[in-house]
Amino acid sequence: MTDLPPFIFVTCQSGVENVLKSEIARSYPFLRPAFSRRGFVTFKFSGDIKPHEGFSLEAVFARSWGFCFGQVLASDWGTAAQETWKKIGDTPVRWIHVWPRDSSPPGRSDPEKPWPPEIGQIYQILLDTRPEGIRLPPKLDETTAAPLGIWVLDCVLVEPDEWWIGVHRTANTQSRYPGGRFPIILPEYAVSRAYLKIEEALRWSGFAVPLGARWAELGSAPGGASQALLDRGYEVLGVDPAEMHPAVLSHPRFTHLRRRTPQAPRRAFRKVRWLTADINASPNYTLDAVESIVTYPQVNVRGMILTLKLTEWRLAEKIPEYLERIRSWGYNEVKARHLWNNKQEICVAALMRPFRRKPTHL
């Protein structure tokens, strides 16, 4: 296999490049920022640290990442495709991902927007020009997940005529899709876009939630996330002083507790095993509300999906503190991600494994 290049690329939501750079500077001081555009940043290994196959970038604000072989100018796609294969040498790729960087104005990304038509055309050209001996699947689209554990050729369209080329090994669910974007479509009947957010969070978390599980949703109105949970066959307790949409309120597996979370009786959560919260407040307010429930003696919540609003971007520096606080409640698998469907907020998935119910005191 070709030696890995001393650069990595990272894609992110448009407008959070500086937040991403700060996060990587704290966690990976040997990675130095190099080329940068809105939604796309490269970093160079420095000092004695060398790139290797086992390297893994864990960054909340990274949508996707890979080892970067540099740019290819693509005024002629056929020539650019041939140059792409030359750049990666004998890397044993078994899949191709092609996608555009997020060039939207900051805060205005549209995760539902289809990839432009040239994405499929470039994929086909790369497929047709592959060197002899490289076995690849037939034409795919972004809805097909790559197998785990394989090398993927990454072609990021920074501009229509400027491709940046890299490779990554699929190691988690999001790395199986181009740009780390899950193929989720908002149903016409959905009452809000919160449907997309919880659906993406569930796929990313990898939680094996059994059919019929009981969820509590804090901050449930008007009901988009509750609707997605109901569509998956779960029971939902929605906690919110505001009105729920009639389509959600009338569902036989939905119960509305029309209270603010601090005023909700804790006995209402005794049969709840999964909890989600998307409260329009500071992270500490949300964590206070959740803690008051999950640490209550007769409440046994196994897993959680929480949205933490970053009312100021500087709060991103406190994410490790937020995650450590959640771990202190007994959740030993805790991770965070800036979802495609997040704006100025992050998603946290927390699981207690193995699940231990609290002892009942008579």
Side-chain angles (χ1 to χ4, degrees):
M1 175 176 169
T2 301
D3 290 338
L4 292 169
F7 291 89
I8 64 169
F9 75 84
V10 185
T11 62
C12 63
Q13 185 185 99
S14 171
V16 303
E17 298 80 18
N18 289 335
V19 179
L20 172 68
K21 290 176 183 178
S22 296
E23 179 187 9
I24 289 181
R26 292 191 298 271
S27 302
Y28 303 92
F30 55 87
L31 291 177
R32 303 294 172 83
F35 176 85
S36 179
R37 293 277 183 87
R38 185 182 292 171
F40 181 88
V41 185
T42 66
F43 297 85
K44 184 178 183 180
F45 286 80
S46 63
D48 296 331
I49 306 297
K50 304 296 181 184
H52 56 90
E53 291 187 24
F55 175 78
S56 178
L57 184 80
E58 303 291 339
V60 174
F61 293 94
R63 285 178 168 174
S64 65
W65 76 275
F67 297 100
C68 185
F69 288 90
Q71 69 173 185
V72 170
L73 298 180
S75 56
D76 177 82
W77 288 356
T79 302
Q82 293 173 357
E83 181 64 24
T84 294
W85 289 112
K86 289 179 183 177
K87 276 189 174 294
I88 69 167
D90 61 356
T91 308
V93 298
R94 293 292 178 263
W95 215 263
I96 300 174
H97 283 171
V98 184
W99 75 99
R101 70 181 172 99
D102 183 1
S103 58
S104 307
R108 296 182 63 184
S109 300
D110 184 1
E112 280 193 282
K113 185 178 180 180
W115 299 136
E118 58 263 29
I119 295 298
Q121 298 167 15
I122 292 171
Y123 178 96
Q124 190 61 48
I125 291 173
L126 288 169
L127 187 65
D128 292 343
T129 57
R130 68 190 185 279
E132 187 176 349
I134 292 186
R135 294 175 288 110
L136 293 170
K139 181 173 171 54
L140 302 169
D141 58 31
E142 66 270 19
T143 66
T144 307
L148 285 170
I150 66 167
W151 284 101
V152 176
L153 168 65
D154 295 307
C155 178
V156 187
L157 275 63
V158 172
E159 299 292 346
D161 60 352
E162 181 184 340
W163 305 351
W164 281 74
I165 308 304
V167 295
H168 76 274
R169 191 191 290 273
T170 51
N172 49 41
T173 306
Q174 63 268 21
S175 68
R176 301 173 68 189
Y177 295 95
R181 184 172 85 164
F182 293 98
I184 306 171
I185 298 175
L186 184 68
E188 292 184 3
Y189 58 81
V191 302
S192 76
R193 296 179 66 86
Y195 189 109
L196 293 172
K197 195 187 302 185
I198 190 67
E199 185 62 34
E200 181 183 1
L202 288 166
R203 298 188 192 194
W204 161 67
S205 72
F207 288 169
V209 184
L211 189 68
R214 293 183 176 92
W215 282 80
E217 184 191 1
L218 312 183
S220 57
S226 290
Q227 203 172 28
L229 294 171
L230 292 167
D231 281 355
R232 281 175 166 249
Y234 306 139
E235 296 184 20
V236 181
L237 171 67
V239 184
D240 201 303
E243 292 185 5
M244 300 295 297
H245 191 281
V248 179
L249 195 59
S250 62
H251 198 287
R253 284 185 276 105
F254 180 81
T255 302
H256 187 199
L257 185 56
R258 198 166 181 178
R259 305 269 186 94
R260 294 186 183 278
T261 299
Q263 284 75 51
R266 295 303 177 259
R267 64 179 180 274
F269 299 93
R270 283 184 295 185
K271 293 184 178 181
V272 167
R273 296 294 176 264
W274 303 86
L275 182 144
T276 183
D278 190 352
I279 301 172
N280 192 21
S282 69
N284 281 329
Y285 181 95
T286 297
L287 293 174
D288 287 346
V290 172
E291 182 176 17
S292 70
I293 293 172
V294 301
T295 61
Y296 192 77
Q298 294 181 329
V299 175
N300 297 279
V301 173
R302 179 181 185 182
M304 303 184 294
I305 290 180
L306 310 177
T307 297
L308 299 183
K309 309 286 187 181
L310 303 180
T311 49
E312 301 176 86
W313 278 119
R314 65 180 180 82
L315 291 178
E317 298 179 4
K318 294 183 174 292
I319 291 175
E321 297 176 25
Y322 301 147
L323 302 188
E324 190 56 38
R325 181 177 176 183
I326 294 169
R327 291 187 186 97
S328 73
W329 306 336
Y331 296 91
N332 49 0
E333 293 186 17
V334 182
K335 58 183 180 179
R337 178 169 168 81
H338 191 218
L339 301 176
W340 271 82
N341 285 284
N342 283 148
K343 297 298 184 183
Q344 195 165 325
E345 60 196 5
I346 62 166
C347 178
V348 178
L351 187 67
M352 189 180 296
R353 192 197 301 269
F355 177 46
R356 296 185 180 91
R357 295 191 183 188
K358 299 167 191 169
T360 301
H361 299 286
L362 300 177

